Amino acid sequence: MSKPLLGCIADDFTGATDLATMLVQNGMRAVQIVFVPGPDDPVPDADVLIVALKSRTAPVAQAVAESLVALQWLKDAGCQQYFFKYCSTFDSTPEGNIGPVMDALTAALGCGFALACPAFPANGRSVYQGHLFVGAQLLNESGMQDHPLTPMTDANLVRVLSRQSTGTVGLVAYPTVVQGAAAIRKAMIGLKEQGRQYAIVDAVTNDDLLAIGEAASGHALITGGSGIAMGLPENFRQAGKLPLRDDASALPSVEGHAAILAGSCSRATLFQIAKARGHIPTLELDPLATPDAAALAAQALAWMEGKLGATPVLIAASAPPEQVAALQAKLGRGPAGELVEAAMAAIAEALVARGVRKLVVAGGETSGAVVQRLGIRQLRIGDAIDPGVPWTYAEGTGPGLLLALKSGNFGAPDFFLKAFAMLEG
Ligand code: ADP
């Protein structure tokens, strides 16, 4: 078993999967750890370990404490470099949590310096003169200024990070970045010598990200979006620590029934259900008519009798906005969501008990509830079905289980059918 090279801490679940997919596509075998790891969690055989926290909008002290627990676990696992992953729109508040977590990780690693680069050109996120753009818009004019939890009202990341952090923040600006890795490395050393603890680094293209990655090969801690990770595998290969792998995304093959659970009411998921409905057996639950988790699960169990097999079945609670609003008006927003999540988790458990080994779950919160109920702690990352949504293999749980966990709005209209077709090929 090889030791992990890169230890990552992500401030949310889908961000962790995004980062993992990026690293797998660049030749590193990755395992995602679900929430805060504990001493009993075994160290999986992988090149990259990614701890997925839920710390983006948690209270500052909790985000810091959980990040430090994750770091210690990654250190104990033998990682050689660390990565703190946040959103490519730098989602945070004036208090944090990006700055306080960076302060804590920098102190714990004793490295005194870290770069920060959320740029992800493929998704339209670029950093120029320290300012973050979403497409052609400055961050604070992109709609992110109205985000319900983390409104971003300033696009100047030097200022934003300075407000959140106890360290001083410098800038490696674009004229330096385009000169390549050596110039970027020299600029970062200069900033550190001037007493700067952090550098926002401009990046507009993938070539910029690759050069920044190369310049940071000796850094203990790198922070940013998943874009900045694209240059890191090559550093390990150059150092002779990582073999050239063409099977980084390989997952164990699994035999068993196939199913889809949809608890997302996002538009993309509603389209995906509509597209799948004519092709596979589909049960649409009606939580408004049956506002009881156990009763909904019982309906699903009765329906699935005799239907499970190689052709997937689809069980959906998803509903258009007016029906969601009606259930929320009846029960309250929180209880309505929890009721459906509880039903979906119970159905997932029943599906696995009846031999389902290939399961697609639509919805971020729904996925969280299912993963928790199934007791899943580690997910090995495979090939992406659509951007940001890979097949994964749940390690350490009784029977082998392939899982695809889809954030509601992700995926093309034929996502569900494509997911299973990919396993056939
Ligand atoms: P997304 O990734 O699209 O945001 P989530 O699973 O995170 O999806 O959130 C969807 C929420 O809506 C969950 O809490 C789920 O339980 C709830 N939900 C699903 N179906 C219904 C419904 N018919 N009525 C009300 N709430 C629902």
Side-chain angles (χ1 to χ4, degrees), residues 350-397:
L351 287 169
V352 172
R354 283 159 181 70
V356 167
R357 298 289 178 268
K358 299 162 190 172
L359 181 63
V360 171
V361 185
E365 294 299 325
T366 309
S367 294
V370 167
V371 161
Q372 200 165 14
R373 178 67 70 95
L374 297 179
I376 291 166
R377 303 279 305 155
Q378 301 190 347
L379 295 168
R380 185 169 294 276
I381 307 295
D383 286 318
I385 303 161
D386 269 331
V389 202
W391 271 112
T392 70
Y393 177 78
E395 298 206 322
T397 45

Coordinates of all heavy atoms in Angstrom, one line a residue, residues 350-397:
A350 N -33.3 0.2 2.5 CA -34.1 -0.9 2.0 C -33.6 -1.4 0.6 O -33.5 -2.6 0.4 CB -35.6 -0.5 1.9
L351 N -33.3 -0.4 -0.2 CA -32.8 -0.8 -1.6 C -31.5 -1.6 -1.4 O -31.3 -2.7 -2.1 CB -32.5 0.4 -2.4 CG -33.7 1.2 -2.9 CD1 -33.3 2.6 -3.5 CD2 -34.4 0.4 -4.0
V352 N -30.6 -1.2 -0.6 CA -29.3 -1.9 -0.4 C -29.6 -3.3 0.2 O -29.0 -4.3 -0.2 CB -28.3 -1.0 0.4 CG1 -27.1 -1.8 0.8 CG2 -27.9 0.2 -0.3
A353 N -30.5 -3.3 1.2 CA -30.8 -4.6 1.8 C -31.4 -5.6 0.8 O -31.3 -6.8 0.9 CB -31.8 -4.4 2.9
R354 N -32.0 -5.0 -0.3 CA -32.6 -5.9 -1.3 C -31.7 -6.1 -2.5 O -32.1 -6.5 -3.6 CB -33.9 -5.3 -1.8 CG -35.1 -5.6 -0.8 CD -36.2 -4.6 -1.0 NE -37.3 -4.9 0.0 CZ -37.1 -4.7 1.3 NH1 -36.0 -4.1 1.8 NH2 -38.1 -4.9 2.2
G355 N -30.4 -5.8 -2.3 CA -29.4 -6.1 -3.3 C -29.0 -5.0 -4.3 O -28.4 -5.3 -5.3
V356 N -29.5 -3.8 -4.1 CA -29.0 -2.7 -4.9 C -27.6 -2.4 -4.6 O -27.2 -2.2 -3.5 CB -29.9 -1.5 -4.8 CG1 -29.3 -0.2 -5.4 CG2 -31.3 -1.7 -5.4
R357 N -26.7 -2.4 -5.6 CA -25.3 -2.1 -5.5 C -24.8 -1.0 -6.4 O -23.6 -0.6 -6.4 CB -24.5 -3.4 -5.8 CG -24.8 -4.5 -4.9 CD -24.3 -4.3 -3.5 NE -24.6 -5.4 -2.6 CZ -25.7 -5.4 -1.8 NH1 -26.6 -4.4 -1.8 NH2 -26.0 -6.5 -1.0
K358 N -25.8 -0.4 -7.1 CA -25.4 0.8 -8.0 C -26.5 1.8 -7.8 O -27.7 1.6 -8.2 CB -25.4 0.3 -9.5 CG -24.4 -0.7 -9.8 CD -24.6 -1.4 -11.1 CE -23.7 -2.7 -11.2 NZ -24.0 -3.5 -12.3
L359 N -26.2 2.9 -7.1 CA -27.2 3.8 -6.6 C -26.8 5.2 -7.0 O -25.7 5.7 -6.7 CB -27.3 3.7 -5.1 CG -28.4 4.5 -4.4 CD1 -29.8 4.2 -4.9 CD2 -28.3 4.4 -2.9
V360 N -27.7 5.9 -7.7 CA -27.6 7.3 -8.0 C -28.5 8.1 -7.0 O -29.7 7.7 -6.9 CB -28.0 7.6 -9.4 CG1 -28.0 9.1 -9.7 CG2 -27.0 7.0 -10.4
V361 N -28.0 9.1 -6.4 CA -28.8 10.0 -5.5 C -28.8 11.4 -6.0 O -27.7 11.9 -6.2 CB -28.3 9.9 -4.0 CG1 -29.3 10.7 -3.1 CG2 -28.2 8.5 -3.5
A362 N -29.9 12.0 -6.2 CA -30.0 13.4 -6.7 C -30.4 14.3 -5.5 O -31.4 14.1 -4.9 CB -31.0 13.5 -7.8
G363 N -29.6 15.3 -5.3 CA -29.8 16.3 -4.2 C -28.7 16.3 -3.2 O -28.3 15.2 -2.7
G364 N -28.2 17.5 -2.9 CA -27.1 17.6 -1.9 C -27.5 17.1 -0.5 O -26.8 16.2 0.1
E365 N -28.6 17.7 0.0 CA -29.0 17.3 1.4 C -29.5 15.8 1.4 O -29.2 15.1 2.3 CB -30.1 18.2 1.9 CG -29.7 19.6 2.1 CD -28.6 19.8 3.1 OE1 -28.6 19.0 4.1 OE2 -27.7 20.6 2.9
T366 N -30.1 15.5 0.3 CA -30.6 14.1 0.2 C -29.4 13.1 0.2 O -29.5 12.1 0.9 CB -31.4 13.9 -1.1 OG1 -32.4 15.0 -1.2 CG2 -32.1 12.6 -1.2
S367 N -28.4 13.4 -0.5 CA -27.2 12.6 -0.5 C -26.6 12.5 0.8 O -26.2 11.4 1.3 CB -26.1 13.2 -1.5 OG -26.6 13.1 -2.8
G368 N -26.5 13.6 1.6 CA -26.0 13.6 2.9 C -26.8 12.7 3.8 O -26.2 11.9 4.6
A369 N -28.1 12.7 3.7 CA -29.0 11.9 4.5 C -28.7 10.4 4.2 O -28.7 9.5 5.1 CB -30.4 12.2 4.4
V370 N -28.6 10.1 2.9 CA -28.4 8.7 2.5 C -27.1 8.2 2.9 O -27.0 7.1 3.5 CB -28.6 8.6 0.9 CG1 -28.1 7.3 0.4 CG2 -30.0 8.8 0.5
V371 N -26.0 9.0 2.7 CA -24.7 8.5 3.1 C -24.6 8.3 4.6 O -24.0 7.3 5.0 CB -23.7 9.6 2.6 CG1 -22.3 9.5 3.3 CG2 -23.4 9.5 1.1
Q372 N -25.2 9.2 5.3 CA -25.2 9.0 6.8 C -26.0 7.7 7.2 O -25.5 6.9 8.0 CB -25.9 10.2 7.4 CG -25.5 10.4 8.9 CD -25.9 11.8 9.3 OE1 -26.7 12.5 8.7 NE2 -25.4 12.2 10.5
R373 N -27.1 7.5 6.6 CA -27.9 6.3 7.0 C -27.2 5.0 6.6 O -27.2 4.0 7.3 CB -29.3 6.3 6.3 CG -30.2 5.1 6.6 CD -30.6 5.1 8.1 NE -31.5 6.1 8.4 CZ -32.8 6.0 8.4 NH1 -33.4 4.8 8.1 NH2 -33.6 7.0 8.6
L374 N -26.5 5.0 5.5 CA -25.8 3.8 5.1 C -24.4 3.7 5.8 O -23.7 2.7 5.6 CB -25.5 3.8 3.5 CG -26.8 3.8 2.7 CD1 -26.5 3.9 1.2 CD2 -27.7 2.6 3.0
G375 N -24.1 4.6 6.6 CA -22.8 4.5 7.4 C -21.6 4.6 6.6 O -20.5 4.1 6.9
I376 N -21.7 5.4 5.5 CA -20.5 5.4 4.5 C -19.6 6.5 5.0 O -20.0 7.6 5.4 CB -21.0 5.8 3.1 CG1 -21.8 4.5 2.6 CG2 -19.9 6.1 2.2 CD1 -22.6 4.8 1.4
R377 N -18.3 6.2 5.1 CA -17.3 7.1 5.6 C -16.2 7.5 4.5 O -15.6 8.5 4.5 CB -16.5 6.5 6.8 CG -17.4 6.1 7.9 CD -17.7 7.2 8.8 NE -16.5 7.9 9.2 CZ -16.5 9.2 9.6 NH1 -17.6 9.9 9.6 NH2 -15.4 9.7 10.0
Q378 N -16.1 6.6 3.5 CA -15.0 6.8 2.5 C -15.5 6.5 1.1 O -16.2 5.4 0.9 CB -13.8 6.0 2.8 CG -13.2 6.3 4.2 CD -11.9 5.6 4.5 OE1 -11.4 4.8 3.7 NE2 -11.2 6.1 5.5
L379 N -15.2 7.4 0.2 CA -15.7 7.2 -1.2 C -14.5 7.3 -2.1 O -13.8 8.3 -2.2 CB -16.7 8.3 -1.6 CG -18.0 8.3 -0.9 CD1 -18.8 9.6 -1.1 CD2 -18.9 7.1 -1.3
R380 N -14.2 6.2 -2.8 CA -13.2 6.2 -3.9 C -13.7 6.8 -5.1 O -14.8 6.5 -5.5 CB -12.6 4.8 -4.1 CG -11.5 4.7 -5.1 CD -10.8 3.3 -5.1 NE -10.2 3.0 -3.8 CZ -9.0 3.4 -3.4 NH1 -8.2 4.1 -4.2 NH2 -8.5 3.1 -2.2
I381 N -13.0 7.7 -5.7 CA -13.5 8.5 -6.8 C -13.2 7.9 -8.2 O -12.0 7.6 -8.5 CB -12.9 10.0 -6.8 CG1 -13.1 10.6 -5.4 CG2 -13.5 10.8 -7.9 CD1 -14.6 10.8 -5.0
G382 N -14.2 7.7 -9.0 CA -14.0 7.2 -10.3 C -14.2 8.2 -11.4 O -14.0 9.4 -11.2
D383 N -14.7 7.7 -12.6 CA -14.8 8.6 -13.7 C -16.1 9.5 -13.6 O -17.1 9.1 -13.0 CB -15.0 7.8 -15.0 CG -13.7 7.2 -15.5 OD1 -12.7 7.9 -15.4 OD2 -13.7 6.0 -15.9
A384 N -16.0 10.7 -14.1 CA -17.1 11.7 -14.0 C -18.2 11.3 -15.0 O -17.9 10.9 -16.2 CB -16.6 13.1 -14.3
I385 N -19.4 11.3 -14.6 CA -20.6 11.0 -15.5 C -20.9 12.3 -16.2 O -21.0 12.3 -17.4 CB -21.8 10.6 -14.6 CG1 -21.5 9.4 -13.8 CG2 -23.0 10.4 -15.5 CD1 -22.4 9.2 -12.6
D386 N -21.0 13.4 -15.5 CA -21.0 14.8 -16.0 C -20.1 15.6 -15.2 O -19.7 15.1 -14.1 CB -22.5 15.3 -16.0 CG -23.3 15.0 -17.2 OD1 -22.7 14.9 -18.3 OD2 -24.5 14.8 -17.1
P387 N -19.7 16.8 -15.6 CA -18.8 17.6 -14.8 C -19.2 17.7 -13.3 O -20.4 18.0 -13.0 CB -18.8 19.0 -15.5 CG -19.1 18.7 -16.9 CD -20.1 17.5 -16.8
G388 N -18.3 17.4 -12.4 CA -18.6 17.5 -11.0 C -19.3 16.3 -10.4 O -19.5 16.3 -9.2
V389 N -19.7 15.3 -11.2 CA -20.4 14.1 -10.6 C -19.8 12.8 -11.0 O -20.1 12.3 -12.1 CB -21.9 14.1 -11.0 CG1 -22.6 13.3 -10.0 CG2 -22.5 15.5 -11.1
P390 N -18.8 12.3 -10.3 CA -18.2 11.0 -10.6 C -19.0 9.8 -10.0 O -19.8 10.0 -9.1 CB -16.9 11.1 -9.9 CG -17.1 11.9 -8.7 CD -18.2 12.9 -9.1
W391 N -18.8 8.7 -10.6 CA -19.2 7.4 -9.9 C -18.1 7.3 -8.7 O -17.0 7.7 -8.9 CB -19.0 6.2 -10.8 CG -20.3 5.9 -11.6 CD1 -20.5 6.0 -12.9 CD2 -21.5 5.4 -11.0 NE1 -21.8 5.6 -13.2 CE2 -22.5 5.3 -12.0 CE3 -22.0 5.1 -9.7 CZ2 -23.8 4.8 -11.9 CZ3 -23.3 4.7 -9.5 CH2 -24.2 4.6 -10.6
T392 N -18.6 6.8 -7.6 CA -17.7 6.6 -6.5 C -18.0 5.1 -6.0 O -19.0 4.5 -6.3 CB -17.9 7.6 -5.4 OG1 -19.2 7.3 -4.7 CG2 -17.9 9.0 -5.8
Y393 N -17.0 4.7 -5.2 CA -17.2 3.3 -4.6 C -17.1 3.5 -3.1 O -16.1 4.1 -2.6 CB -16.1 2.4 -5.1 CG -16.1 1.0 -4.5 CD1 -17.0 0.1 -4.9 CD2 -15.2 0.7 -3.4 CE1 -17.0 -1.2 -4.3 CE2 -15.2 -0.6 -2.9 CZ -16.1 -1.5 -3.3 OH -16.2 -2.7 -2.7
A394 N -18.1 3.1 -2.4 CA -18.1 3.2 -0.9 C -17.2 2.2 -0.3 O -17.5 1.0 -0.5 CB -19.5 3.1 -0.4
E395 N -16.1 2.6 0.3 CA -15.2 1.6 0.9 C -15.5 1.4 2.3 O -16.0 2.2 3.0 CB -13.8 2.2 0.8 CG -13.4 2.4 -0.6 CD -11.9 2.3 -0.9 OE1 -11.1 2.8 0.0 OE2 -11.5 1.8 -1.9
G396 N -15.2 0.2 2.8 CA -15.3 -0.1 4.2 C -16.7 -0.5 4.7 O -17.0 -0.7 5.8
T397 N -17.7 -0.4 3.7 CA -19.1 -0.8 4.2 C -19.3 -2.2 3.7 O -18.8 -2.6 2.6 CB -20.1 0.1 3.5 OG1 -19.8 0.3 2.1 CG2 -20.2 1.5 4.1

